[in-house]
Amino acid sequence: MATKNSHTEHRSDKTGQFVTTKYGEAHPKSTTKESVPNPGRGDTGRGGKK
C-alpha cells in the first residue's frame, strides 16, 4: 500500500495561521482547507519554475 505525500490542514483567512480541524470545519467562510506536504517531502512541485 502506497503512502500519501500530503495531508489536509485548515488555515485562517485573516491571519494565515493554521487552525484546528474542528475550528476550520465550524467556520468554513473564514478558513481555507489546503493540502500540506508531509514532513520530509518538501515542495510538491506544482508551481512553475522561476
Side-chain angles (χ1 to χ4, degrees):
M1 183 167 96
T3 60
K4 290 173 46 174
N5 291 331
S6 63
H7 62 281
T8 56
E9 291 283 336
H10 292 83
R11 190 183 291 268
S12 170
D13 288 340
K14 252 185 179 176
T15 64
Q17 293 183 339
F18 287 108
V19 295
T20 62
T21 302
K22 187 175 180 181
Y23 181 87
E25 291 175 355
H27 301 89
K29 290 186 178 181
S30 64
T31 58
T32 303
K33 188 176 182 182
E34 61 184 49
S35 181
V36 179
N38 287 339
R41 292 295 179 175
D43 189 18
T44 56
R46 292 187 182 181
K49 296 193 175 195
K50 293 183 179 179

